[in-house]
Amino acid sequence: MDENEIRKRLAGCAAEYVMFKDDEEENAKTTAEVSSSGNVIVFPDFEKLKSEVEKMRTELSMLLLERDELQFVICKNIETEYMLKLGSIEYRAYEAQCAALRLKRKIELIQAKKNRQEKVIISAIEETLDNEFAEYQKQLDEQIDKMNDALKRSKAEVLSDEDNKELKKLYRKIVKALHPDINPDVSEAQVQLFDNAVSAYKSGDLGTLRIISEMVGNNPLPEQHKDAMTQLVEERERLQGLLKSIRDSIESIKSEYPYTMKDILEDTEKTEQKKQELEGILEQYNELISIYKAKIEEMLR
């Protein structure tokens, strides 16, 4: 065999070796994606996304706890303190306002009858006023209900710091496991269980929360398969929307009554100023009531 023929054969072997090596690398790449059992091996991108979603779930559970604590504990405590310190004078001021507005409207109805030279029937006018001022009466009744709730809450047993800490810890665990926003696939029975947990948290029922906590665990994230990445991406987008919604809700609660009374109640001077302000309003409406009553007596002579 001459030298040129040997070189050709060596070149051919080299080419075959390169092709064989490429096939081996491709096969190795494939086996990096699928194990011998046929299960997909976890890759860094999937694990990173899974970790991100888990962190978002944890953050959401913390925000939900913060929101519920604001609604069911902090705001309730603020409202209780407000009603006990200022609720009675506020109620009397609002009651006087309603009475003054009703008398003013009564004058208008009597004058309308006189202008049309019709007989003034007070019972009929009072019935009209009852209908027109039904919403005012409803709000007065709601104020009474708030006062009753405040009185009841002020006499309720207060949890110790240790029990209160456990209450929050258990509730957060239950929120993470059962809250429909975090776990959209929970069953109707699980939703009912969560509602019971909310009621127990509102009332500081530590025993009930302990029982429910024993029944639940964390909802696992999907294992990797061909649709898992898509599911995680969708879950991340869903959680992003929920996180924004809950943050907005927290800000809204902090911008409304009763949370807005927090600064007033924490400052004795501001509390006294608010009380004097309400007493001034009450006095003004009582003066109007006297004026309107005198006017009505004069009109009915």
Side-chain angles (χ1 to χ4, degrees):
M1 183 180 297
D2 61 23
E3 185 177 348
N4 288 335
E5 185 65 23
I6 292 173
R7 286 180 178 177
K8 286 180 181 180
R9 289 192 176 185
L10 288 173
C13 289
E16 287 179 3
Y17 172 76
V18 170
M19 291 176 64
F20 177 74
K21 189 173 185 299
D22 288 342
D23 289 342
E24 277 190 325
E25 288 176 351
E26 186 63 31
N27 289 335
K29 185 177 179 181
T30 301
T31 56
E33 295 174 352
V34 182
S35 67
S36 59
S37 62
N39 295 324
V40 179
I41 297 173
V42 177
F43 283 94
D45 286 347
F46 179 83
E47 281 298 292
K48 182 179 178 181
L49 181 56
K50 188 174 180 180
S51 175
E52 183 181 354
V53 169
E54 183 58 43
K55 287 179 181 178
M56 291 174 73
R57 282 186 172 186
T58 299
E59 183 181 2
L60 183 59
S61 71
M62 294 173 68
L63 284 173
L64 287 167
L65 174 60
E66 180 182 352
R67 185 199 63 185
D68 287 355
E69 185 179 11
L70 268 174
Q71 283 182 317
F72 305 143
V73 180
I74 295 174
C75 283
K76 282 294 182 183
N77 289 340
I78 291 172
E79 186 169 47
T80 295
E81 185 179 359
Y82 182 83
M83 294 304 294
L84 295 177
K85 289 183 176 180
L86 300 167
S88 59
I89 183 66
E90 183 180 69
Y91 174 82
R92 287 165 57 207
Y94 184 63
E95 184 181 40
Q97 178 189 24
C98 293
L101 291 172
R102 181 177 176 121
L103 288 170
K104 182 181 179 182
R105 178 60 176 152
K106 188 174 183 178
I107 291 171
E108 293 172 354
L109 293 174
I110 292 172
Q111 189 61 55
K113 288 288 185 180
K114 285 180 170 290
N115 292 343
R116 294 193 296 268
Q117 296 183 345
E118 296 175 358
K119 184 178 180 181
V120 177
I121 303 174
I122 295 299
S123 60
I125 289 176
E126 292 292 351
E127 185 177 348
T128 299
L129 291 170
D130 287 342
N131 293 329
E132 291 185 1
F133 282 81
E135 187 60 33
Y136 286 91
Q137 186 58 52
K138 180 181 177 182
Q139 292 181 31
L140 281 170
D141 292 342
E142 288 175 354
Q143 284 295 101
I144 294 175
D145 290 339
K146 286 181 181 179
M147 179 59 78
N148 287 331
D149 288 343
L151 291 169
K152 182 179 178 181
R153 189 176 178 86
S154 68
K155 297 175 183 177
E157 183 180 351
V158 179
L159 292 176
S160 66
D161 290 342
E162 185 178 343
D163 286 345
N164 194 48
K165 186 176 180 180
E166 183 184 358
L167 188 83
K168 292 179 183 179
K169 182 179 180 181
L170 293 175
Y171 186 65
R172 185 187 161 201
K173 175 187 175 184
I174 294 166
V175 164
K176 193 172 182 181
L178 294 180
H179 199 293
D181 285 347
I182 302 178
N183 310 282
D185 296 328
V186 290
S187 67
E188 185 176 340
Q190 288 174 314
V191 171
Q192 181 61 51
L193 191 63
F194 176 70
D195 290 341
N196 289 333
V198 173
S199 297
Y201 181 71
K202 286 182 182 180
S203 60
D205 186 351
L206 188 55
T208 297
L209 283 185
R210 284 171 177 160
I211 293 171
I212 296 174
S213 175
E214 289 296 322
M215 298 172 64
V216 302
N218 293 329
N219 191 29
L221 292 172
E223 295 302 321
Q224 186 179 15
H225 54 77
K226 68 176 183 179
D227 296 324
M229 286 292 286
T230 301
Q231 287 182 17
L232 284 175
V233 169
E234 291 174 352
E235 178 68 356
R236 180 176 62 183
E237 292 175 356
R238 188 182 73 85
L239 290 173
Q240 284 172 342
L242 284 171
L243 286 168
K244 182 181 183 307
S245 176
I246 299 301
R247 289 191 191 103
D248 291 345
S249 177
I250 289 171
E251 290 304 311
S252 177
I253 292 170
K254 289 182 177 180
S255 68
E256 298 171 353
Y257 173 88
Y259 192 85
T260 49
M261 297 295 106
K262 184 173 182 286
D263 289 340
I264 293 175
L265 295 171
E266 289 177 346
D267 189 318
T268 305
E269 186 176 335
K270 288 182 179 179
T271 302
E272 186 59 31
Q273 288 176 353
K274 182 67 175 178
K275 185 177 181 180
Q276 291 177 3
E277 176 189 331
L278 291 168
E279 287 175 343
I281 292 172
L282 174 60
E283 184 178 350
Q284 290 174 9
Y285 279 118
N286 280 335
E287 289 175 2
L288 281 176
I289 288 170
S290 298
I291 293 170
Y292 291 152
K293 282 183 176 179
K295 176 69 173 177
I296 291 171
E297 287 180 5
E298 181 183 338
M299 293 176 74
L300 294 176
R301 285 176 186 166

